[in-house]
Amino acid sequence: MGKKVKKEAEPPPKDVFDPLTVESKKVATVVLMLNSPEEEILAKACEAIYRFALKGEENKATLLELGAVEPLTKLLTHEDKIVRRNATMIFGILASNNDVKKLLRELDVVNSVIDRLAPEEEVVIHEFASLCLANMSVEYTSKVQIFEQGGLEPLIRLLSSPDPDVKKNSIECIYNLVQDFQCRATLQELNAIPPILDLLKSEYPIIQLLALKTLGVITNDKESRVMLRENQGVDQLIKILETKELNDLHIEALSVVANCIEDMDTMVMIQQTGGLKKLLSFAENSTIPEIQKNAARAIAKAAYDPENRKLFHELEVEKCLVSLLGSENDGTKIAASQAISAMCENSGSKEFFNNQGIPQLIQLLKSDNEEVRESAALALANLTTCNPANAKAAAEGDGIDALINILSSKRDGAIANAATVLTNMAMQEPLRLGIQSHDVMHALLGPLNSANTIVQSKAALTVAAAACDVEARTELRNAGGLEPLVELLCSKNEEVRRNASWAVMVCAGDEPMAVELCRLGALDILEDINVSVSRKNKFSEAAYNKLLNNYLSLKYSQTGYLSSSNIISDGFYDYGRINPGTKLLPLKDLCLQEPSDQRAILLINSRSSDVSPPPSTEDKSSDVGYGRSISSSSSLRRASKEKTKENSFHFSAGFGSPTEEKSEPTSGRNTAVSKSTTKEKGSRKGRGKKEEEKVKEEEEVAAAPKLTGEGSLEKEWFPPSDPDFCVYVYEVTKSILPITNIKEQIEVLAKYVAEKMGGKIPKEKLQDFSWELHISELKFQLKSNVVPIGLIKKGIFYHRALLFKALADKIGVGCSLVRGEYGRAWNEVKLMSESRKGVMGALPPLEVYIVDLMFHPGSLIKLRSREADHYRFL
């Protein structure tokens, strides 16, 4: 055999680069390698960068500065699995850096990362891709990108992965995503509840905890609670609560249970399994504040069911809740207060909290935590509603001051709750006085001006409850509270309008307030509301009527009618007819106006002249217009005597009887009946009276400089006095009031009024009755359009009717005042029909009569008759 010859190795091709092993110690060099086309170099470079990034945040920042992120994003979709895997691992680590996350959002990497969650990818890629998404999902913008690019579905699928790290990262990312309600809705569509419940069986506590946290968020939605119940999730939660070894999960488990209790069927299931007792046990025995808080939350939600309240009451849950109010944890205090609020529906619980609970809640009203104050106020609001004993206990526990302080809180809920408690307290007069002493009306200004309709409504209701007396209403007016209250009448919210109307109705309880409310436009607004079928309510109608009934001057000018229940008081003035919507000027403004050719404004005022402002020292004797330089009552009296023959008594202005009358108590009783007697005594007393008036006038003038020197008296204004009308009131009180027959009272009073206004005027001489000149002379003398009724000695229909009504109201004779056309006005009275007197059985109906004050003074004319029509219209 021949010898074998060894073949020589062929040399490598000349165009092939010989392999080169390079060891790099600079990360910048490795970053450059990321642009290499060789898969092996890419894989090794990525591996080296991964190890470098694991070492800390500084290294991640260095990689960002060196520009490693951009080339790495391209490697996420590389064909080589190893390169793709290593690049994904790097992003899983780098995504925890905020600056890297920002850059990843800008580079729109989310879609590439989601693609790495595909089933065909390796488990390691799943792990780090889900970790990258979990890190990025912390920020809202990234959440939106993950959700919009379909990341939720693959994440839910990975909950069933055999790898625990994949499960942990996936559930963590889902937990972050479901903070947004759109993600929660999609989660229900993807049937995510069963795989999340399976995670509760995991042997890793962190996975169980994240699963419970996720359930705690998604069970805020009704649909998720139903799905949880249908998938036996409640049983799993109860088992966790019953297992002491899982006490690190109890906080979150209780939170989920608290949400589930809002679902009635779930609550029944928890009740049947003894879960409610377990909740109470956690609240009583646990020393962990978060467990106590969640247990109390669950109790609060369960207590909205009557059966559960009854069960809790039997288990004496009240003691537990009161003890929780003393917790150092604010969350526990809030939850306990909310539970007390819910338990208040049980009468037995309300009684228990009267002695225990209310003092602790009042202390919580002083907390620095606004939410604690709000929840405590809510509990007190429910405790004091329809329970005077609890309202009294809250007031006696120094709660008023704390509640009024809360009215200036930044939380609308706290303000509304505090206002409710104050309203409940104000139902009792002693407590209302206590509230008023704390300047409550000033404190309500802020709530009345609030933009929150609930706060507006509650504040208006508090005003309605607290403004039941003159002092409180005056305080509200002085504090500027009427303006926002009137504005609330225009609210589009029905409850706000109703409560504001209620408050206006209460505030209109006296004439000054009614006048001010009308000036602010309340009457016009209420009139507009009552025209609308959809906006009007019983309180708006009542408020409108109350305003008019306490501002009779406006009512008579607008409606031309005063009923027998509309009692004319001092300060009433008849301006004449005005059209709806026209503003009626206050009496003070009218008095300050110069006299004009308009109809005289008739004034009713029986107040004593000693409250009138002092005469001006500049012109002591002149009869000048009211409010500018006011003449003394004596000069007015003398002026009236010069114009007419006085045939009645002259007493000092006021209700008190004069000195001479005390010596002759029977004189002056039948003034209207016995004219001769009246004239004799009147002339006798008149002479003595003139001397008294001169002395009095001198005293007034002498005292004027002292009085006008005081600033407060200079600013104070009083309506013009009417000494003659004061005399009228005294005389009818002495002579007509004692008459027992009401018809006779009316007839005598009618004759008296006619006598004071120029006597009987025959129909044929009505044209010759020169009352206009008399009124003009009075206006000129007074230098004002306002004329006191007592100064008028020649009066026509509407003068006499007003005087009759004013005097009748003083002695309690019921009559109405009706304005007609062409200067007509008349009084209507109701009397029993003569034909029905003495008839046995049911009371006969009353008949309406017109009182004749002109043609046949004292005669009564049936309303529906030709004579009545003639008197009213012809």
Side-chain angles (χ1 to χ4, degrees):
M1 291 180 63
K3 187 179 179 181
K4 291 183 178 179
V5 180
K6 185 177 181 181
K7 291 184 178 179
E8 294 181 4
E10 296 182 2
K14 293 180 180 181
D15 56 348
V16 175
F17 182 79
D18 295 334
L20 175 67
T21 302
V22 178
E23 183 176 338
S24 176
K25 294 185 179 180
K26 296 289 185 180
V27 66
T29 305
V30 180
V31 170
L32 293 173
M33 294 180 182
L34 294 176
N35 294 310
S36 172
E38 296 185 48
E39 296 173 353
E40 188 177 353
I41 291 176
L42 292 173
K44 289 182 178 180
C46 288
E47 187 177 348
I49 289 173
Y50 169 74
R51 290 195 300 269
F52 180 76
L54 276 175
K55 294 178 181 180
E57 289 297 317
E58 292 182 0
N59 293 354
K60 296 174 186 176
T62 300
L63 290 170
L64 179 64
E65 293 174 2
L66 293 173
V69 176
E70 288 84 345
L72 282 171
T73 57
K74 300 175 182 178
L75 300 182
L76 282 173
T77 56
H78 201 277
E79 295 178 355
D80 186 78
K81 284 188 177 183
I82 297 175
V83 174
R84 203 162 60 241
R85 180 192 66 194
N86 292 350
T88 305
M89 291 170 65
I90 294 172
F91 277 117
I93 302 300
L94 286 180
S96 62
N97 183 279
N98 291 330
D99 293 328
V100 173
K101 276 189 279 196
K102 182 178 179 182
L103 181 57
L104 291 177
R105 288 198 303 271
E106 294 174 357
L107 296 173
D108 199 15
V109 179
V110 171
N111 194 44
S112 300
V113 177
I114 292 174
D115 290 341
R116 302 287 71 75
L117 301 178
E120 60 271 12
E121 296 286 1
E122 298 177 9
V123 173
V124 175
I125 292 179
H126 287 167
E127 176 186 345
F128 285 95
S130 58
L131 178 61
C132 177
L133 293 175
N135 286 330
M136 292 186 68
S137 63
V138 175
E139 297 182 352
Y140 177 75
T141 308
S142 297
K143 286 181 190 176
V144 174
Q145 287 184 342
I146 295 170
F147 174 71
E148 290 180 349
Q149 297 184 29
L152 201 53
E153 185 174 1
L155 287 168
I156 292 172
R157 187 181 66 249
L158 291 181
L159 294 178
S160 304
S161 172
D163 186 85
D165 289 321
V166 175
K167 290 180 179 179
K168 182 261 179 188
N169 295 337
S170 299
I171 189 63
E172 183 177 2
C173 185
I174 291 172
Y175 171 70
N176 292 335
L177 291 175
V178 294
Q179 306 299 321
D180 182 68
F181 74 95
Q182 286 183 323
C183 293
R184 291 200 296 272
T186 305
L187 203 71
Q188 297 160 13
E189 297 172 4
L190 297 174
N191 196 29
I193 298 290
I196 295 176
L197 287 173
D198 288 339
L199 296 183
L200 297 179
K201 303 171 185 177
S202 173
E203 58 184 12
Y204 298 96
I206 184 61
I207 295 177
Q208 293 175 307
L209 186 63
L210 286 169
L212 285 171
K213 282 187 172 183
T214 305
L215 290 172
V217 175
I218 64 178
T219 50
N220 284 311
D221 299 330
K222 181 179 179 180
E223 293 78 7
S224 295
R225 293 195 293 267
V226 173
M227 292 178 67
L228 183 76
R229 185 186 73 245
E230 292 174 350
N231 287 277
Q232 288 74 48
V234 176
D235 295 336
Q236 290 182 250
L237 293 170
I238 297 298
K239 286 178 183 178
I240 291 174
L241 293 175
E242 291 174 346
T243 307
K244 293 183 178 180
E245 291 78 10
L246 300 177
N247 57 2
D248 56 330
L249 303 177
H250 287 171
I251 295 174
E252 300 302 331
L254 282 169
S255 179
V256 180
V257 170
N259 290 340
C260 291
I261 284 178
E262 293 186 24
D263 179 64
M264 185 59 65
D265 293 331
T266 305
M267 186 179 64
V268 171
M269 184 181 298
I270 293 173
Q271 187 179 20
Q272 292 173 348
T273 56
L276 296 181
K277 293 182 180 179
K278 192 68 180 176
L279 293 176
L280 185 56
S281 174
F282 275 112
E284 287 178 334
N285 304 324
S286 178
T287 57
I288 302 172
E290 285 297 317
I291 289 180
Q292 291 179 326
K293 179 187 79 172
N294 289 338
R297 276 186 60 231
I299 290 171
K301 292 182 178 180
Y304 285 106
D305 178 71
E307 292 298 322
N308 291 343
R309 283 198 299 272
K310 184 178 178 181
L311 175 62
F312 281 140
H313 181 60
E314 292 173 355
L315 296 172
E316 296 184 333
V317 71
E318 297 88 355
K319 293 181 180 178
C320 169
L321 295 175
V322 170
S323 66
L324 292 181
L325 291 177
S327 171
E328 295 181 359
N329 182 273
D330 285 344
T332 304
K333 294 175 185 176
I334 293 168
S337 299
Q338 292 171 344
I340 290 174
S341 300
M343 287 300 298
C344 286
E345 294 294 328
N346 184 284
S347 58
S349 298
K350 256 188 178 179
E351 293 176 6
F352 177 89
F353 291 124
N354 180 270
N355 299 319
Q356 302 179 52
I358 288 180
Q360 291 88 333
L361 288 168
I362 291 173
Q363 289 303 313
L364 294 185
L365 292 177
K366 304 170 185 177
S367 171
D368 294 332
N369 187 311
E370 290 277 359
E371 195 172 353
V372 171
R373 297 168 70 190
E374 179 179 350
S375 58
L378 174 63
L380 285 172
N382 289 341
L383 281 169
T384 55
T385 299
C386 301
N387 195 305
N390 283 351
K392 184 178 180 182
E396 292 174 348
D398 195 26
I400 295 176
D401 192 49
L403 289 164
I404 289 179
N405 287 337
I406 290 179
L407 292 178
S408 58
S409 170
K410 296 179 181 178
R411 294 180 69 92
D412 289 336
I415 298 172
N417 294 335
T420 301
V421 182
L422 291 171
T423 302
N424 294 337
M425 288 180 176
M427 299 297 180
Q428 303 176 56
E429 184 176 358
L431 305 187
R432 183 169 65 250
L433 296 176
I435 293 171
Q436 292 169 357
S437 67
H438 284 75
D439 199 17
V440 66
M441 294 305 180
H442 192 272
L444 284 169
L445 282 183
L448 287 173
N449 285 293
S450 171
N452 185 293
T453 55
I454 297 176
V455 173
Q456 293 172 348
S457 173
K458 299 300 182 184
L461 202 57
T462 306
V463 171
C468 292
D469 49 55
V470 176
E471 292 79 7
R473 293 194 287 268
T474 304
E475 182 186 345
L476 179 68
R477 182 180 62 187
N478 294 340
L482 294 184
E483 289 85 347
L485 187 61
V486 171
E487 288 178 8
L488 293 184
L489 292 173
C490 302
S491 173
K492 295 181 180 179
N493 183 281
E494 183 178 357
E495 186 177 357
V496 173
R497 279 199 313 274
R498 182 178 68 88
N499 290 348
S501 300
W502 191 348
V504 167
M505 181 188 73
V506 174
C507 289
D510 55 81
E511 185 173 353
M513 289 290 288
V515 172
E516 181 66 11
L517 286 166
C518 290
R519 185 186 70 80
L520 294 172
L523 192 71
D524 297 334
I525 297 171
L526 287 168
E527 186 176 13
D528 183 58
I529 290 173
N530 292 333
V531 170
S532 170
V533 177
S534 59
R535 294 170 62 210
K536 73 175 181 180
N537 54 75
K538 291 183 178 179
F539 287 105
S540 67
E541 295 173 341
Y544 181 82
N545 293 329
K546 188 77 171 286
L547 278 173
L548 282 181
N549 289 334
N550 282 305
Y551 192 4
L552 294 182
S553 301
L554 177 62
K555 180 176 183 179
Y556 188 50
S557 292
Q558 278 198 356
T559 66
Y561 180 80
L562 295 181
S563 69
S564 57
S565 62
N566 296 141
I567 306 300
I568 291 179
S569 60
D570 295 330
F572 174 90
Y573 57 101
D574 177 13
Y575 181 84
R577 190 190 307 275
I578 63 173
N579 296 322
T582 305
K583 295 290 183 183
L584 178 65
L585 292 177
L587 178 60
K588 180 179 179 180
D589 294 350
L590 294 172
C591 286
L592 295 176
Q593 289 180 349
E594 296 290 338
S596 64
D597 58 355
Q598 77 171 61
R599 202 202 79 159
I601 300 165
L602 308 180
L603 172 65
I604 302 294
N605 185 22
S606 64
R607 292 193 183 97
S608 176
S609 62
D610 56 7
V611 299
S612 299
S616 170
T617 56
E618 296 177 2
D619 186 3
K620 298 176 184 176
S621 61
S622 62
D623 295 332
V624 193
Y626 308 120
R628 296 182 291 277
S629 180
I630 304 177
S631 62
S632 67
S633 60
S634 302
S635 61
L636 281 175
R637 190 181 299 112
R638 286 200 311 275
S640 65
K641 292 177 193 172
E642 292 173 3
K643 293 294 177 184
T644 58
K645 180 180 178 181
E646 185 59 56
N647 55 3
S648 61
F649 295 105
H650 293 281
F651 304 104
S652 60
F655 288 96
S657 60
T659 306
E660 298 106 274
E661 180 64 19
K662 289 180 180 177
S663 62
E664 299 179 48
T666 58
S667 64
R669 282 187 176 273
N670 298 318
T671 308
V673 180
S674 178
K675 296 180 182 178
S676 60
T677 306
T678 304
K679 288 180 181 178
E680 289 177 10
K681 294 183 178 180
S683 61
R684 206 167 47 240
K685 293 180 183 287
R687 288 193 297 273
K689 189 63 185 175
K690 288 179 182 178
E691 296 177 1
E692 288 181 10
E693 287 168 355
K694 289 180 181 178
V695 175
K696 185 176 180 182
E697 183 179 6
E698 292 173 0
E699 292 175 353
E700 289 174 349
V701 171
K706 295 181 181 179
L707 293 172
T708 54
E710 300 177 12
S712 61
L713 287 177
E714 284 181 355
K715 295 179 182 178
E716 193 170 6
W717 183 88
F718 296 95
S721 61
D722 189 354
D724 289 343
F725 181 68
C726 295
V727 173
Y728 296 169
V729 172
Y730 181 78
E731 289 182 358
V732 298
T733 303
K734 297 294 287 182
S735 61
I736 300 177
L737 181 60
I739 299 174
T740 57
N741 185 287
I742 189 168
K743 182 180 179 182
E744 186 179 348
Q745 278 185 320
I746 294 169
E747 291 172 347
V748 174
L749 180 59
K751 292 176 182 177
Y752 180 88
V753 168
E755 180 184 346
K756 298 302 178 186
M757 286 284 180
K760 174 182 176 181
I761 310 296
K763 295 179 183 178
E764 61 275 7
K765 294 185 178 181
L766 185 60
Q767 300 283 346
D768 302 328
F769 187 58
S770 59
W771 61 273
E772 295 96 336
L773 178 60
H774 171 61
I775 299 297
S776 298
E777 289 174 347
L778 287 175
K779 288 167 60 177
F780 177 76
Q781 178 188 354
L782 298 171
K783 292 184 169 53
S784 173
N785 287 321
V786 178
V787 179
I789 193 75
L791 296 181
I792 300 175
K793 306 308 174 185
K794 286 186 177 182
I796 196 70
F797 293 93
Y798 68 90
H799 303 116
R800 300 183 182 208
L802 177 59
L803 180 59
F804 184 90
K805 169 68 174 170
L807 292 175
D809 286 345
K810 294 292 185 183
I811 61 174
V813 174
C815 75
S816 61
L817 176 62
V818 186
R819 188 194 308 279
E821 301 292 339
Y822 312 113
R824 298 294 177 104
W826 61 88
N827 304 102
E828 296 177 357
V829 295
K830 290 183 179 180
L831 296 173
M832 187 184 300
S833 174
E834 294 290 339
S835 61
R836 296 289 298 172
K837 284 185 178 180
V839 179
M840 300 296 290
L843 289 174
L846 298 177
E847 292 187 352
V848 181
Y849 295 87
I850 290 177
V851 182
D852 189 341
L853 301 172
M854 289 288 294
F855 309 133
H856 304 284
S859 63
L860 301 178
I861 310 168
K862 278 190 179 183
L863 181 62
R864 302 185 182 280
S865 65
R866 292 182 59 187
E867 292 83 356
D869 293 339
H870 184 84
Y871 187 84
R872 290 184 297 172
F873 305 118
L874 299 181

